[in-house]
Amino acid sequence: MFEGKVVALERKPELHRLTARFEVSRVWKGELTTRAEVSTIDVGSMCGYGFEVGSSYVVYAAGEATGLSTSACTRTKVSADAKDDLTALGVGTVPAPAPPEAAVVAVAPVTAVVPVAAVVPVAAVAPVAPASPVTADVPPSGGGCTVATDIPPGKPGCAVGGEASPLWLLWLGLLGVRRRRIRGR
């Protein structure tokens, strides 16, 4: 809680926020310096508080000194209309002086970079012939699917013919045994 005069307003319409910068004259709760910023919603119908530059307010804010906020739903009001609040709150304390604001440092203009030597284009690269497609006419050793990525139309993608590998026969046998056990339960 503090009393202070609005010295600047910053609106951020895309965020529906209004930030009021105060010159704080007295404090009742919290640790504030002579400078404070309080944000509120910039839309009055959403309980935003309509601060005006040059007016003094008794502000009931929530948050830390680095991120205070208030709304029309608090007891925040113009100091002239806050006689009862000021009487109940008492004298208050004088805030600590604010640290000096950071000075704006001028930045030297950037100078253009000039190339040391002329840029020479690189010689054209000869085109490379495409790789020949992998055919699926020959099944892989041991059966199974081919790894062909360019299978001609009308040709199967998996090698079905040829000799069955012993691993494939073992797999089928284990699958059959498992099915018999499940059915037998």
Side-chain angles (χ1 to χ4, degrees), residues 92-130:
T93 60
V94 176
E101 291 190 37
V104 178
V105 178
V107 178
V110 178
T111 57
V113 177
V114 180
V116 176
V119 178
V120 179
V122 177
V125 177
V128 177

mmCIF file of all heavy atoms in Angstrom, residues 92-130:
data_model
loop_
_atom_site.group_PDB
_atom_site.id
_atom_site.type_symbol
_atom_site.label_atom_id
_atom_site.label_comp_id
_atom_site.label_asym_id
_atom_site.label_seq_id
_atom_site.Cartn_x
_atom_site.Cartn_y
_atom_site.Cartn_z
ATOM 1 N N GLY A 92 2.173 6.780 7.721
ATOM 2 C CA GLY A 92 2.983 5.996 6.786
ATOM 3 C C GLY A 92 4.453 6.315 6.931
ATOM 4 O O GLY A 92 4.857 7.067 7.821
ATOM 5 N N THR A 93 5.282 5.775 6.060
ATOM 6 C CA THR A 93 6.715 6.029 6.099
ATOM 7 C C THR A 93 7.170 6.630 4.777
ATOM 8 O O THR A 93 6.540 6.442 3.734
ATOM 9 C CB THR A 93 7.518 4.730 6.342
ATOM 10 O OG1 THR A 93 7.245 3.814 5.281
ATOM 11 C CG2 THR A 93 7.157 4.098 7.667
ATOM 12 N N VAL A 94 8.266 7.337 4.845
ATOM 13 C CA VAL A 94 8.848 7.927 3.636
ATOM 14 C C VAL A 94 9.619 6.813 2.923
ATOM 15 O O VAL A 94 10.410 6.105 3.552
ATOM 16 C CB VAL A 94 9.786 9.095 4.006
ATOM 17 C CG1 VAL A 94 10.468 9.646 2.774
ATOM 18 C CG2 VAL A 94 9.010 10.176 4.740
ATOM 19 N N PRO A 95 9.400 6.637 1.622
ATOM 20 C CA PRO A 95 10.107 5.567 0.907
ATOM 21 C C PRO A 95 11.591 5.875 0.742
ATOM 22 O O PRO A 95 12.002 7.033 0.760
ATOM 23 C CB PRO A 95 9.405 5.514 -0.456
ATOM 24 C CG PRO A 95 8.848 6.890 -0.636
ATOM 25 C CD PRO A 95 8.497 7.382 0.746
ATOM 26 N N ALA A 96 12.360 4.832 0.576
ATOM 27 C CA ALA A 96 13.800 4.983 0.324
ATOM 28 C C ALA A 96 14.003 5.599 -1.055
ATOM 29 O O ALA A 96 13.182 5.399 -1.959
ATOM 30 C CB ALA A 96 14.473 3.617 0.388
ATOM 31 N N PRO A 97 15.070 6.355 -1.237
ATOM 32 C CA PRO A 97 15.313 6.933 -2.568
ATOM 33 C C PRO A 97 15.541 5.832 -3.608
ATOM 34 O O PRO A 97 16.160 4.817 -3.324
ATOM 35 C CB PRO A 97 16.561 7.787 -2.387
ATOM 36 C CG PRO A 97 17.025 7.607 -0.999
ATOM 37 C CD PRO A 97 16.069 6.724 -0.272
ATOM 38 N N ALA A 98 15.017 6.061 -4.783
ATOM 39 C CA ALA A 98 15.179 5.090 -5.876
ATOM 40 C C ALA A 98 16.596 5.157 -6.410
ATOM 41 O O ALA A 98 17.204 6.228 -6.438
ATOM 42 C CB ALA A 98 14.184 5.392 -6.988
ATOM 43 N N PRO A 99 17.137 4.033 -6.830
ATOM 44 C CA PRO A 99 18.476 4.064 -7.431
ATOM 45 C C PRO A 99 18.432 4.847 -8.743
ATOM 46 O O PRO A 99 17.390 4.923 -9.384
ATOM 47 C CB PRO A 99 18.801 2.581 -7.679
ATOM 48 C CG PRO A 99 17.496 1.888 -7.677
ATOM 49 C CD PRO A 99 16.578 2.703 -6.818
ATOM 50 N N PRO A 100 19.532 5.432 -9.120
ATOM 51 C CA PRO A 100 19.519 6.199 -10.376
ATOM 52 C C PRO A 100 19.193 5.282 -11.549
ATOM 53 O O PRO A 100 19.567 4.115 -11.568
ATOM 54 C CB PRO A 100 20.941 6.758 -10.484
ATOM 55 C CG PRO A 100 21.757 5.971 -9.527
ATOM 56 C CD PRO A 100 20.835 5.401 -8.501
ATOM 57 N N GLU A 101 18.466 5.845 -12.491
ATOM 58 C CA GLU A 101 18.097 5.060 -13.672
ATOM 59 C C GLU A 101 19.331 4.836 -14.531
ATOM 60 O O GLU A 101 20.233 5.663 -14.563
ATOM 61 C CB GLU A 101 17.024 5.788 -14.475
ATOM 62 C CG GLU A 101 15.698 5.832 -13.747
ATOM 63 C CD GLU A 101 14.580 6.331 -14.634
ATOM 64 O OE1 GLU A 101 14.577 6.005 -15.836
ATOM 65 O OE2 GLU A 101 13.738 7.063 -14.115
ATOM 66 N N ALA A 102 19.340 3.718 -15.191
ATOM 67 C CA ALA A 102 20.460 3.387 -16.061
ATOM 68 C C ALA A 102 20.520 4.397 -17.198
ATOM 69 O O ALA A 102 19.519 4.717 -17.818
ATOM 70 C CB ALA A 102 20.295 1.981 -16.616
ATOM 71 N N ALA A 103 21.703 4.909 -17.422
ATOM 72 C CA ALA A 103 21.888 5.881 -18.496
ATOM 73 C C ALA A 103 21.811 5.177 -19.845
ATOM 74 O O ALA A 103 22.246 4.044 -19.996
ATOM 75 C CB ALA A 103 23.245 6.564 -18.346
ATOM 76 N N VAL A 104 21.261 5.868 -20.800
ATOM 77 C CA VAL A 104 21.184 5.335 -22.149
ATOM 78 C C VAL A 104 22.534 5.561 -22.808
ATOM 79 O O VAL A 104 23.014 6.687 -22.903
ATOM 80 C CB VAL A 104 20.057 6.019 -22.951
ATOM 81 C CG1 VAL A 104 20.028 5.489 -24.375
ATOM 82 C CG2 VAL A 104 18.729 5.822 -22.256
ATOM 83 N N VAL A 105 23.142 4.488 -23.226
ATOM 84 C CA VAL A 105 24.463 4.557 -23.829
ATOM 85 C C VAL A 105 24.306 4.637 -25.340
ATOM 86 O O VAL A 105 23.621 3.818 -25.941
ATOM 87 C CB VAL A 105 25.306 3.317 -23.446
ATOM 88 C CG1 VAL A 105 26.671 3.358 -24.116
ATOM 89 C CG2 VAL A 105 25.431 3.228 -21.948
ATOM 90 N N ALA A 106 24.923 5.626 -25.925
ATOM 91 C CA ALA A 106 24.871 5.766 -27.378
ATOM 92 C C ALA A 106 25.758 4.713 -28.008
ATOM 93 O O ALA A 106 26.873 4.469 -27.564
ATOM 94 C CB ALA A 106 25.331 7.158 -27.793
ATOM 95 N N VAL A 107 25.246 4.097 -29.031
ATOM 96 C CA VAL A 107 25.988 3.058 -29.729
ATOM 97 C C VAL A 107 26.553 3.643 -31.005
ATOM 98 O O VAL A 107 25.858 4.326 -31.754
ATOM 99 C CB VAL A 107 25.058 1.860 -30.054
ATOM 100 C CG1 VAL A 107 25.806 0.790 -30.819
ATOM 101 C CG2 VAL A 107 24.469 1.301 -28.777
ATOM 102 N N ALA A 108 27.824 3.376 -31.249
ATOM 103 C CA ALA A 108 28.462 3.882 -32.464
ATOM 104 C C ALA A 108 27.856 3.192 -33.677
ATOM 105 O O ALA A 108 27.525 2.015 -33.622
ATOM 106 C CB ALA A 108 29.963 3.611 -32.404
ATOM 107 N N PRO A 109 27.700 3.924 -34.767
ATOM 108 C CA PRO A 109 27.128 3.293 -35.955
ATOM 109 C C PRO A 109 28.067 2.211 -36.497
ATOM 110 O O PRO A 109 29.278 2.290 -36.360
ATOM 111 C CB PRO A 109 26.983 4.449 -36.949
ATOM 112 C CG PRO A 109 27.876 5.513 -36.443
ATOM 113 C CD PRO A 109 28.005 5.325 -34.963
ATOM 114 N N VAL A 110 27.465 1.224 -37.103
ATOM 115 C CA VAL A 110 28.220 0.103 -37.653
ATOM 116 C C VAL A 110 28.739 0.494 -39.033
ATOM 117 O O VAL A 110 28.005 1.027 -39.857
ATOM 118 C CB VAL A 110 27.320 -1.145 -37.761
ATOM 119 C CG1 VAL A 110 28.065 -2.306 -38.386
ATOM 120 C CG2 VAL A 110 26.788 -1.522 -36.396
ATOM 121 N N THR A 111 30.018 0.231 -39.265
ATOM 122 C CA THR A 111 30.578 0.531 -40.580
ATOM 123 C C THR A 111 30.450 -0.687 -41.477
ATOM 124 O O THR A 111 30.504 -1.823 -41.014
ATOM 125 C CB THR A 111 32.065 0.924 -40.471
ATOM 126 O OG1 THR A 111 32.757 -0.141 -39.829
ATOM 127 C CG2 THR A 111 32.245 2.199 -39.671
ATOM 128 N N ALA A 112 30.263 -0.440 -42.750
ATOM 129 C CA ALA A 112 30.095 -1.520 -43.702
ATOM 130 C C ALA A 112 31.403 -2.276 -43.879
ATOM 131 O O ALA A 112 32.487 -1.691 -43.831
ATOM 132 C CB ALA A 112 29.630 -0.967 -45.046
ATOM 133 N N VAL A 113 31.298 -3.574 -44.091
ATOM 134 C CA VAL A 113 32.464 -4.411 -44.314
ATOM 135 C C VAL A 113 32.744 -4.449 -45.811
ATOM 136 O O VAL A 113 31.858 -4.736 -46.609
ATOM 137 C CB VAL A 113 32.218 -5.842 -43.788
ATOM 138 C CG1 VAL A 113 33.401 -6.735 -44.092
ATOM 139 C CG2 VAL A 113 31.941 -5.791 -42.309
ATOM 140 N N VAL A 114 33.962 -4.154 -46.178
ATOM 141 C CA VAL A 114 34.358 -4.153 -47.583
ATOM 142 C C VAL A 114 35.205 -5.398 -47.826
ATOM 143 O O VAL A 114 36.174 -5.641 -47.101
ATOM 144 C CB VAL A 114 35.167 -2.878 -47.919
ATOM 145 C CG1 VAL A 114 35.595 -2.872 -49.374
ATOM 146 C CG2 VAL A 114 34.367 -1.648 -47.576
ATOM 147 N N PRO A 115 34.861 -6.207 -48.849
ATOM 148 C CA PRO A 115 35.659 -7.406 -49.098
ATOM 149 C C PRO A 115 37.080 -7.040 -49.524
ATOM 150 O O PRO A 115 37.299 -6.049 -50.218
ATOM 151 C CB PRO A 115 34.918 -8.136 -50.218
ATOM 152 C CG PRO A 115 33.925 -7.173 -50.756
ATOM 153 C CD PRO A 115 33.735 -6.088 -49.746
ATOM 154 N N VAL A 116 38.037 -7.847 -49.099
ATOM 155 C CA VAL A 116 39.436 -7.604 -49.415
ATOM 156 C C VAL A 116 39.723 -7.916 -50.881
ATOM 157 O O VAL A 116 40.420 -7.193 -51.554
ATOM 158 C CB VAL A 116 40.341 -8.452 -48.494
ATOM 159 C CG1 VAL A 116 41.791 -8.300 -48.872
ATOM 160 C CG2 VAL A 116 40.107 -8.059 -47.053
ATOM 161 N N ALA A 117 39.173 -9.013 -51.367
ATOM 162 C CA ALA A 117 39.391 -9.412 -52.759
ATOM 163 C C ALA A 117 38.029 -9.665 -53.401
ATOM 164 O O ALA A 117 37.039 -9.919 -52.717
ATOM 165 C CB ALA A 117 40.240 -10.667 -52.814
ATOM 166 N N ALA A 118 38.013 -9.619 -54.714
ATOM 167 C CA ALA A 118 36.779 -9.867 -55.441
ATOM 168 C C ALA A 118 36.353 -11.319 -55.244
ATOM 169 O O ALA A 118 37.191 -12.216 -55.153
ATOM 170 C CB ALA A 118 36.972 -9.582 -56.925
ATOM 171 N N VAL A 119 35.069 -11.536 -55.178
ATOM 172 C CA VAL A 119 34.528 -12.874 -55.014
ATOM 173 C C VAL A 119 34.445 -13.518 -56.388
ATOM 174 O O VAL A 119 33.830 -12.978 -57.305
ATOM 175 C CB VAL A 119 33.143 -12.825 -54.345
ATOM 176 C CG1 VAL A 119 32.576 -14.213 -54.227
ATOM 177 C CG2 VAL A 119 33.242 -12.152 -53.001
ATOM 178 N N VAL A 120 35.084 -14.682 -56.553
ATOM 179 C CA VAL A 120 35.113 -15.390 -57.828
ATOM 180 C C VAL A 120 34.184 -16.589 -57.734
ATOM 181 O O VAL A 120 34.288 -17.374 -56.785
ATOM 182 C CB VAL A 120 36.555 -15.863 -58.150
ATOM 183 C CG1 VAL A 120 36.603 -16.611 -59.465
ATOM 184 C CG2 VAL A 120 37.498 -14.682 -58.142
ATOM 185 N N PRO A 121 33.274 -16.746 -58.716
ATOM 186 C CA PRO A 121 32.371 -17.905 -58.650
ATOM 187 C C PRO A 121 33.143 -19.206 -58.856
ATOM 188 O O PRO A 121 34.140 -19.257 -59.566
ATOM 189 C CB PRO A 121 31.375 -17.663 -59.785
ATOM 190 C CG PRO A 121 32.008 -16.641 -60.668
ATOM 191 C CD PRO A 121 32.979 -15.877 -59.843
ATOM 192 N N VAL A 122 32.676 -20.259 -58.236
ATOM 193 C CA VAL A 122 33.293 -21.571 -58.338
ATOM 194 C C VAL A 122 32.835 -22.216 -59.643
ATOM 195 O O VAL A 122 31.718 -21.999 -60.093
ATOM 196 C CB VAL A 122 32.879 -22.436 -57.125
ATOM 197 C CG1 VAL A 122 33.451 -23.825 -57.230
ATOM 198 C CG2 VAL A 122 33.312 -21.761 -55.847
ATOM 199 N N ALA A 123 33.687 -23.035 -60.239
ATOM 200 C CA ALA A 123 33.344 -23.716 -61.488
ATOM 201 C C ALA A 123 32.151 -24.633 -61.266
ATOM 202 O O ALA A 123 31.953 -25.181 -60.184
ATOM 203 C CB ALA A 123 34.543 -24.520 -61.975
ATOM 204 N N ALA A 124 31.348 -24.801 -62.322
ATOM 205 C CA ALA A 124 30.157 -25.645 -62.251
ATOM 206 C C ALA A 124 30.562 -27.096 -62.020
ATOM 207 O O ALA A 124 31.588 -27.564 -62.512
ATOM 208 C CB ALA A 124 29.360 -25.523 -63.538
ATOM 209 N N VAL A 125 29.755 -27.824 -61.315
ATOM 210 C CA VAL A 125 30.000 -29.226 -61.022
ATOM 211 C C VAL A 125 29.234 -30.052 -62.040
ATOM 212 O O VAL A 125 28.054 -29.790 -62.305
ATOM 213 C CB VAL A 125 29.540 -29.563 -59.585
ATOM 214 C CG1 VAL A 125 29.722 -31.034 -59.295
ATOM 215 C CG2 VAL A 125 30.289 -28.715 -58.588
ATOM 216 N N ALA A 126 29.872 -31.070 -62.610
ATOM 217 C CA ALA A 126 29.220 -31.927 -63.600
ATOM 218 C C ALA A 126 28.149 -32.769 -62.922
ATOM 219 O O ALA A 126 28.342 -33.245 -61.798
ATOM 220 C CB ALA A 126 30.261 -32.822 -64.258
ATOM 221 N N PRO A 127 27.001 -32.970 -63.597
ATOM 222 C CA PRO A 127 25.936 -33.783 -62.993
ATOM 223 C C PRO A 127 26.376 -35.240 -62.871
ATOM 224 O O PRO A 127 27.149 -35.744 -63.673
ATOM 225 C CB PRO A 127 24.766 -33.631 -63.966
ATOM 226 C CG PRO A 127 25.355 -33.123 -65.229
ATOM 227 C CD PRO A 127 26.628 -32.428 -64.882
ATOM 228 N N VAL A 128 25.879 -35.900 -61.853
ATOM 229 C CA VAL A 128 26.220 -37.286 -61.588
ATOM 230 C C VAL A 128 25.062 -38.144 -62.074
ATOM 231 O O VAL A 128 23.898 -37.811 -61.855
ATOM 232 C CB VAL A 128 26.458 -37.504 -60.075
ATOM 233 C CG1 VAL A 128 26.740 -38.950 -59.766
ATOM 234 C CG2 VAL A 128 27.568 -36.616 -59.593
ATOM 235 N N ALA A 129 25.377 -39.268 -62.727
ATOM 236 C CA ALA A 129 24.340 -40.172 -63.220
ATOM 237 C C ALA A 129 23.637 -40.825 -62.037
ATOM 238 O O ALA A 129 24.282 -41.156 -61.033
ATOM 239 C CB ALA A 129 24.967 -41.235 -64.116
ATOM 240 N N PRO A 130 22.313 -41.035 -62.152
ATOM 241 C CA PRO A 130 21.597 -41.679 -61.043
ATOM 242 C C PRO A 130 22.034 -43.130 -60.887
ATOM 243 O O PRO A 130 22.451 -43.772 -61.846
ATOM 244 C CB PRO A 130 20.131 -41.565 -61.449
ATOM 245 C CG PRO A 130 20.133 -41.319 -62.912
ATOM 246 C CD PRO A 130 21.436 -40.662 -63.241
#
